[in-house]
Amino acid sequence: MSTIFAPITGRGGAVTVVRLSGPQALAQAEALTGRLPPPRRAALRKLYHEGRLLDEALLVTFPRPHSFTGEDCVELSLHGGRAVLAVVSAALVALGARPAEPGEFSRRAFEAGKLDLLQAEAMADLIAAETEAQRAQAVGGALHEACAAWRERLRQLMARQEALIDFPDEDLPPEVEAALTGGIAVLRDELRAALALAPAAERLREGLEFVILGPPNAGKSTLLNALAGEDVAIVSDSPGTTRDAVGVRVDFGGVPVHLTDTAGLRDTADAIEAEGVKRAQARAAKADFVLLAAGPGEDFAAPPEGIPFLRLRTKADLGGEGVSARTGAGMAQLRAQLAAQAQALTGTKGAPAPARPRQMACLRDTQAALSRALALAEPELRGEELRIAASALARLAGGIAVEEILDAVFSGFCIGK
Ligand SMILES: Nc1nc2c(ncn2[C@@H]2O[C@H](COP(=O)(O)OP(=O)(O)OP(=O)(O)O)[C@@H](O)[C@H]2O)c(=O)[nH]1
Ligand SMILES: [Mg+2]
């Protein structure tokens, strides 16, 4: 097993923490510092390599198994900056360590049984969380807890099913059979409920797409700038100003939303503008939500089929109802409406919900096997379906994950995770 290292803090700070993990971690740290402090006690040490002073760093050792990866680990709090990191990295390589691959620390932690696959995924989501709702979803661990409880219940159902196999038919108490199928049905329904929340959980993990659509000069770009709180899109009084779709990340009620301003919809002989109109409609057709904007007295554009939308009158300062991006009138209410919409599209209320295709596939397989089990009266056949359900559920936690799945999950992580 190689000893690996990587910075585990972001760039540009005053301090860069480098984690070293593996069988040689303590020896390599000792080679750099001369003398290691007692486990889990921080100490300031000068780092030397081949007689050269590299840096002065705070050093903490975490001997196995009480470390993030379960291996011997050392964390070096170096001074931030490229040059320090480069020279310390070179020294560690000279001592036999190698840079960690993306997700390699987490993978080692998983392999040491420090965290299961759901916890590893939740940790990656927590580190990537940009908004409050994303943080809350990742930190809650609802799916991890639910998965453990489901596995335990399924184990008990399987034990009861096994007991029935040895029973002669005529002696079978009907209430035992009823309790068994009832238990399977309740579990199956809970998995279905979790799967029903999957679209919301996935949207929260990935962020929503909101599109502003409407006739030229409706004030769409002005609205985007006002909602984003920055000057992103060009505003002018000549209709047909916006051609390319212009997007910006905004936080609506703790939910990350990619808000896109589009070209004003009209028939036009200008080929570039016509392409912009086409793109506007294509964007709106794929959006999670469409904001239809129109000035006083103007017709609203037709909403794309099947997509929730809001009709919004702009330029209310010129008279009439609606909002005015110019004076700010109605903007607070609009923000609140958009936040409510974003929350409704992503709300799981803390209930367990799969947010990744891998998790959904495992839950679907489990649910399908339980449904098949319910349709079978023969104890041996039903027992076999329950075993299939149990192994699909074990895959959700990573219990019997194959190499390719682990590669796919952990390679999606960043270096240092
Ligand atoms: N009075 C008033 N004028 C506004 C308001 N919002 C936008 N305008 C003006 O309306 C004109 C068009 O604004 P834009 O935001 O460029 O409109 P648009 O819908 O993006 O236009 P296209 O990109 O051409 O489709 C500009 O002159 C803006 O200053 C508003 O709330 N009140
Ligand atoms: Mg515009």
Side-chain angles (χ1 to χ4, degrees), residues 118-174:
L118 289 172
Q119 288 173 310
E121 286 169 332
M123 186 188 64
D125 289 346
L126 184 58
I127 294 169
E130 287 178 4
T131 67
E132 175 49 27
Q134 284 183 318
R135 183 201 62 78
Q137 169 168 274
V139 84
L143 189 57
H144 171 255
E145 277 173 29
C147 180
W150 289 330
R151 288 178 76 178
E152 174 54 23
R153 274 159 59 192
L154 186 51
R155 205 184 55 73
Q156 288 173 10
L157 292 168
M158 287 166 77
R160 266 194 242 168
Q161 181 67 64
E162 287 305 314
L164 287 188
I165 290 175
D166 303 328
F167 247 91
D169 275 358
E170 55 277 16
D171 298 346
L172 202 62

Side-chain angles (χ1 to χ4, degrees), residues 208-226:
L208 294 170
E209 175 80 19
F210 281 21
V211 171
I212 307 176
L213 199 66
N217 247 357
K220 301 182 296 300
S221 299
T222 309
L223 201 59
L224 175 87
N225 292 344

Side-chain angles (χ1 to χ4, degrees), residues 12-292:
V15 171
T16 298
V17 179
V18 168
R19 177 186 286 143
L20 188 59
S21 176
Q24 293 302 311
L26 297 174
Q28 289 167 355
E30 194 167 20
L32 288 180
T33 58
R35 187 172 47 92
L36 296 179
R40 288 177 296 283
R41 294 270 286 278
L44 196 60
R45 289 282 185 273
K46 288 195 164 70
L47 307 187
Y48 287 95
H49 184 59
E50 293 174 343
R52 277 172 76 208
L53 177 61
L54 310 181
D55 190 16
E56 189 166 25
L58 202 63
L59 175 145
V60 185
T61 67
F62 302 91
R64 78 195 142 90
H66 304 295
S67 70
F68 178 74
T69 57
E71 307 175 319
D72 284 337
C73 278
V74 177
E75 289 179 11
L76 295 165
S77 300
L78 307 173
H79 288 93
R82 272 167 205 279
V84 173
L85 181 59
V87 77
V88 172
S89 298
L92 288 170
V93 169
L95 291 167
R98 69 164 170 80
E101 308 279 345
E104 200 170 4
F105 290 127
S106 303
R107 182 158 183 164
R108 289 189 176 189
F110 168 76
E111 272 157 11
K114 290 273 165 181
L115 25 97
D116 72 15
L117 214 44
L118 289 172
Q119 288 173 310
E121 286 169 332
M123 186 188 64
D125 289 346
L126 184 58
I127 294 169
E130 287 178 4
T131 67
E132 175 49 27
Q134 284 183 318
R135 183 201 62 78
Q137 169 168 274
V139 84
L143 189 57
H144 171 255
E145 277 173 29
C147 180
W150 289 330
R151 288 178 76 178
E152 174 54 23
R153 274 159 59 192
L154 186 51
R155 205 184 55 73
Q156 288 173 10
L157 292 168
M158 287 166 77
R160 266 194 242 168
Q161 181 67 64
E162 287 305 314
L164 287 188
I165 290 175
D166 303 328
F167 247 91
D169 275 358
E170 55 277 16
D171 298 346
L172 202 62
E175 61 276 12
V176 173
E177 168 77 4
L180 178 59
T181 53
I184 298 173
V186 170
L187 183 56
R188 194 257 327 254
D189 293 346
E190 278 182 37
L191 299 184
R192 282 192 178 163
L195 278 163
L197 294 173
E202 193 174 28
R203 283 193 290 255
L204 177 56
R205 203 174 90 75
E206 292 183 350
L208 294 170
E209 175 80 19
F210 281 21
V211 171
I212 307 176
L213 199 66
N217 247 357
K220 301 182 296 300
S221 299
T222 309
L223 201 59
L224 175 87
N225 292 344
L227 288 170
E230 54 180 312
D231 194 9
V232 230
I234 301 172
V235 167
S236 92
D237 56 9
S238 66
T241 302
T242 306
R243 267 84 185 290
D244 275 323
V246 181
V248 61
R249 291 289 269 194
V250 286
D251 180 331
F252 285 148
V255 178
V257 175
H258 186 252
L259 181 64
T260 301
D261 172 34
T262 59
L265 303 179
R266 66 171 168 182
D267 287 329
T268 166
D270 182 322
I272 300 171
E273 192 185 348
E275 177 61 27
V277 169
K278 216 170 93 189
R279 289 181 185 203
Q281 270 152 342
R283 278 298 183 115
K286 283 195 292 182
D288 295 302
F289 185 76
V290 173
L291 195 53
L292 296 171

Side-chain angles (χ1 to χ4, degrees), residues 348-409:
T348 58
K349 299 197 169 68
R356 296 170 185 255
R358 184 195 77 78
Q359 300 169 349
M360 289 173 216
C362 295
L363 282 181
R364 264 198 301 270
D365 291 350
T366 312
Q367 188 270 126
L370 292 178
S371 290
R372 288 194 304 270
L374 280 173
L376 293 164
E378 183 68 28
E380 282 86 356
L381 297 180
R382 195 195 280 151
E384 180 55 24
E385 292 298 350
L386 292 181
R387 271 190 292 281
I388 294 173
S391 81
L393 208 46
R395 266 196 338 263
L396 178 60
I400 47 167
V402 290
E403 204 68 1
E404 298 93 87
I405 292 182
L406 296 180
D407 285 347
V409 168

